[in-house]
Amino acid sequence: MCSGTCSTDGNPQKLYAIKVCFDETCESGERELAISQRIRHENIAECLFQISYPRRPNLFVFAIELMDCDLKNYLYQHDGPLSRADTLTLGNQLFAGLEYLHDNGIVHRDLKPANIWINTRTKELKIADLGNSRDLDLSSARPVTNQVQRTSSC
């Protein structure tokens, strides 16, 4: 993955990551691109643009909004536990993004500190890497994963 900045008005505004998926990762890249393009939420990394290669149908290149740090590195940078305020700010954003995904029938399936991106200056949080995500078909009795089963109530 590469990174850079982009803007529609000529002034660098957003960090972005260039993600390249091909051959063995083709299905994952196709799924991530499809899900990223149909959802919009302030706490989910946005797919900014894609580049198509008609001669290489199994090649997906797209730019994803990027923050300056992931949660793993953010935690390592702090000496000791996060403050109560940071825990609440970041936790609320994480759960808002997850709620949005679940309300739209999407299970992330790879949520880990490296896939939770943070702007360290503004404390803005984004959920990233939807390549392993799956759409929930609530009408199906088939499990989403070995660990995730559908139930009619809690």
Side-chain angles (χ1 to χ4, degrees):
M1 198 172 329
C2 306
S3 64
T5 59
C6 73
S7 174
T8 55
D9 63 4
N11 294 320
Q13 299 281 333
K14 286 187 174 185
L15 289 173
Y16 64 91
I18 300 295
K19 189 161 189 176
V20 178
C21 303
F22 55 92
D23 298 332
E24 69 276 357
T25 60
C26 176
E27 183 181 337
S28 172
E30 190 173 36
R31 184 175 36 254
E32 180 169 7
L33 187 58
I35 289 173
S36 295
Q37 289 180 329
R38 76 170 205 254
I39 60 173
R40 291 284 178 271
H41 189 272
E42 63 190 359
N43 299 118
I44 299 173
E46 181 181 356
C47 178
L48 302 171
F49 58 87
Q50 72 178 38
I51 302 167
S52 299
Y53 294 93
R55 293 184 181 169
R56 296 277 316 262
N58 290 344
L59 178 65
F60 293 88
V61 180
F62 48 100
I64 303 169
E65 180 178 20
L66 179 66
M67 307 305 258
D68 61 336
C69 191
D70 64 31
L71 181 59
K72 179 181 176 183
N73 289 317
Y74 187 78
L75 292 172
Y76 283 136
Q77 291 172 6
H78 286 80
D79 188 25
L82 295 180
S83 70
R84 178 180 170 93
D86 281 355
T87 301
L88 289 172
T89 298
L90 298 174
N92 284 335
Q93 292 177 75
L94 176 62
F95 290 123
L98 284 174
E99 180 178 44
Y100 177 83
L101 288 173
H102 296 170
D103 286 350
N104 285 277
I106 300 167
V107 177
H108 189 284
R109 293 182 16 143
D110 193 24
L111 196 61
K112 58 188 176 187
N115 291 337
I116 299 169
W117 295 348
I118 300 170
N119 178 322
T120 56
R121 188 178 50 80
T122 64
K123 303 291 195 278
E124 181 183 14
L125 179 143
K126 306 270 183 177
I127 297 171
D129 195 355
L130 300 172
N132 287 322
S133 297
R134 295 290 188 273
D135 285 307
L136 285 174
D137 178 2
L138 298 176
S139 64
S140 172
R142 188 171 156 240
V144 177
T145 69
N146 293 335
Q147 292 78 30
V148 178
Q149 307 285 326
R150 289 175 193 76
T151 61
S152 57
S153 62
C154 293

